[in-house]
Amino acid sequence: MKWLLRIVFLLVAVVGLVIGALLMMPGDKLAAILTEQVRGQTGRDLKLSGDVNLSFWPVLGMETGPVTFSNASWAGPEPMLSADSMAVGVDAAALISGDLRIRRIIAENPTLRLELSEGRGNWQFDRSTPVSSGNAVSAQSKNATGTVTLDFLELTNARLVYVENDAVKFDFANVDLSANWPDVTAPLFVEAKMDVPGGKVEVDLKIPDLPAYATGVAAPLELLLRAPGGEVDFDGLVNLAGEMDGKLHIKAQDTEKMLAAFGQAGVGVPLGLGRKAEVAGHMTYTSEGRISLREMVAQLDDNRLTGEADIVISDPPQITARLNGGDLDLSRFNAPSGEGGVGGGSAAVTAAEGWSTTPIDASALALANGKIRLTANSIAVPELTLGPSDLTLNLDRSRAVLQMNPATLFSGKLTGQVVANNRNGLSVGGNLQAEGIDLQSALSTLADVTRLSGTGSGSFEFLGVGQSEDQIMRSLSGKGRLDVGRGVISGIDLDRIMGRGDGNGGATVFNSLTASFTIDQGVLRNEDLLMSLDNFRADGKGTVGIGARNIDYLFTPTALRANSGQGLSVPVRIVGPWSNPSIQPDLSKVIEAAAEGKIKELEGDAKQQVLDKVGDELGTAVTDSESLEKAVKKKLEEEAKKGLLKLLGAD
């Protein structure tokens, strides 16, 4: 047993001497040994400076001042990692066996620069010559160099920079990051936190098979991102190029707050388009920055959409989408945030008093560029409800063009386009063609006019500028035409006014109506209204104040068979607000015509009395002027004959 004790004592003495020698070795010498080992395992330079505190067993490590870890040879000149201070520890026993088991890396105020170029990531390590992402691990395996693992990584107050093909994709500061990969067969876990407007963004990332991922093949990825206002969940595959394919689920309790957290502060989301949103589908992301969503289901406030979309990540994003909706409610589109969709405030004005003066928030026009096609059973917008419609929305730098292919409105079809432009202040315009429109529904909805009913077609061009409904309506300019078939004007009974029977119960039934108009500064002018009826025609001209919501219009019906077939006109002036206009027919000409008819009747009676008296005197019947003339002539002949006989002395 003495020899065994001597051997043990000798080994302890040797180990003690080795440890003592190491403790007596200068820190820079030990740092050089460690950096040489790191270079041998990774092919990169690790530079340590400042005071170096060492540990040896079971963890070979040090705490140092400023440190840099070099980038890949093909990447930029900036180091992959730099920090004000760092603590590094590796498993001494594993290092002796040829493996690099990193026990800890703790860095203060580090900058981590990740670069990707042509499928290569600077986080891939090699020891001699560069290798492609597809055979990085296999090349290391062939060199029989062991494995690299990471027990614990912690970066405090870090700056994260991601560069893809020489273009900076993101640059985040004030990031806290931790990661661990304790075994080759274990998952890699990464947690990160970053300060953003409104709070923090937190990321939990899990790669179950890091070695497979390192070879460049698509490997499983689980990602959960929590941000102020919502979260993003992804479960699928990822490769070294950052390309992803899998299930995506986005849930936003406050979309505006979530957008602000990602650098889109101040963007207002219209109510009905996702102030509160949930989107799910199958996502594919390519290295070119294109996101494709298939089998997509989007719940935007109370509206549900299905379809597919392609998004190019840019500023702003470029979107191409085909969406299908049921009954969509955008009727509270401009409702202020946080008020449950109820507009209001001192600036709001009821429809009966005038157009709303509440400022219109059109910032949503800047959210994206692209083309979105939407089909829906119905679409309710403020004061309007469209029926089954096929719409295409083109977005380009805060300018939206809505193409109707067609849209169903007021029981008719509407084709053409409407434009909203918010590049230099808000303006709206359009060029529309309508067919089969229910006039009573249209006029009562748009202008509080309920007296005219019928089915019409026409065209309408318009342009308005302003930041509220009131400003836009008072600035309107444009032109148009209206053609209506058989219809009714309630409140005016031309048959009764013209004395043509019992009338139509306080209404006028017409066979056709045509009119053209121009608009300037919110005032519509018409000079050629023509209405055709069975016994009448009616002409009209005047103005309609679209901005002021009033009317001053002269409507002139003409009884075609009155006045011995010469016609009789009765002007009707419509004056006042849309909600309660005054209708005042001018009866003076009717009275004049009636008086003229009575005079003729009296003249006829007097003439007949004269004829009767003359007939009695002449002793013959006299019925008209001609018979009177003959009777008088005959009487004169008889009297002359009697006078001649007396003169000649005859009996």
Side-chain angles (χ1 to χ4, degrees), residues 124-438:
Q124 299 171 236
F125 302 126
D126 51 32
R127 299 180 184 122
S128 54
T129 59
V131 294
S132 66
S133 61
N135 59 7
V137 171
S138 60
Q140 293 176 12
S141 299
K142 291 177 181 178
N143 292 332
T145 55
T147 60
V148 179
T149 58
L150 173 65
D151 285 357
F152 182 70
L153 168 69
E154 181 178 81
L155 308 179
T156 304
N157 193 29
R159 177 188 174 197
L160 300 181
V161 182
Y162 177 63
V163 180
E164 187 173 309
N165 298 323
D166 298 324
V168 177
K169 293 298 184 179
F170 64 75
D171 188 343
F172 297 138
N174 302 319
V175 178
D176 294 334
L177 183 145
S178 63
N180 66 85
W181 183 44
D183 189 83
V184 174
T185 60
L188 167 68
F189 291 98
V190 178
E191 295 181 0
K193 295 180 181 180
M194 179 178 65
D195 291 329
V196 296
K200 288 182 177 291
V201 169
E202 300 180 356
V203 179
D204 294 336
L205 181 149
K206 176 183 177 182
I207 299 179
D209 191 348
L210 186 60
Y213 169 75
T215 65
V217 302
L221 169 68
E222 298 174 20
L223 174 67
L224 176 61
L225 183 152
R226 294 179 295 274
E231 63 182 33
V232 179
D233 187 8
F234 175 82
D235 188 354
L237 301 174
V238 65
N239 64 16
L240 283 174
E243 297 176 327
M244 305 168 71
D245 182 82
K247 295 180 180 179
L248 177 70
H249 185 199
I250 302 174
K251 188 173 183 179
Q253 292 83 16
D254 188 335
T255 302
E256 293 179 10
K257 190 175 181 180
M258 193 172 180
L259 288 173
F262 291 104
Q264 298 293 326
V267 176
V269 179
L271 185 62
L273 293 182
R275 289 184 180 175
K276 185 177 181 180
E278 187 168 358
V279 180
H282 189 97
M283 184 200 78
T284 301
Y285 172 73
T286 67
S287 57
E288 292 81 17
R290 178 181 295 274
I291 297 175
S292 297
L293 287 174
R294 300 295 182 263
E295 303 173 9
M296 183 182 68
V297 177
Q299 186 70 38
L300 308 179
D301 298 320
D302 293 329
N303 297 319
R304 187 176 186 272
L305 298 171
T306 61
E308 56 189 33
D310 293 289
I311 304 170
V312 177
I313 298 177
S314 58
D315 187 19
Q318 184 78 25
I319 300 175
T320 303
R322 292 177 59 91
L323 304 175
N324 301 308
D327 297 317
L328 304 182
D329 184 4
L330 304 177
S331 60
R332 297 175 293 168
F333 188 90
N334 291 318
S337 299
E339 295 189 15
V342 180
S346 60
V349 182
T350 64
E353 297 173 345
W355 301 107
S356 172
T357 57
T358 303
I360 298 174
D361 182 3
S363 59
L365 296 177
L367 283 175
N369 294 332
K371 182 177 182 179
I372 302 172
R373 184 173 181 181
L374 170 66
T375 57
N377 293 333
S378 69
I379 306 174
V381 297
E383 301 184 4
L384 293 176
T385 299
L386 284 71
S389 299
D390 186 349
L391 309 176
T392 300
L393 179 64
N394 291 281
L395 297 168
D396 180 28
R397 296 174 294 119
S398 296
R399 182 176 183 268
V401 179
L402 181 64
Q403 189 75 34
M404 304 178 187
N405 309 303
T408 302
L409 184 63
F410 304 125
S411 303
K413 300 297 182 183
L414 204 62
T415 58
Q417 63 182 25
V418 176
V419 181
N421 190 338
N422 197 40
R423 292 174 180 172
N424 297 297
L426 180 61
S427 64
V428 295
N431 187 343
L432 302 172
Q433 295 77 44
E435 182 177 352
I437 299 296
D438 183 337

Side-chain angles (χ1 to χ4, degrees), residues 35 41 135 160 206 259 287 315 439 476 535 546 573 582 590 613:
T35 56
Q41 293 293 329
N135 59 7
L160 300 181
K206 176 183 177 182
L259 288 173
S287 57
D315 187 19
L439 288 184
L476 276 181
N535 300 314
I546 299 175
R573 184 169 294 278
S582 172
V590 177
K613 184 64 175 176

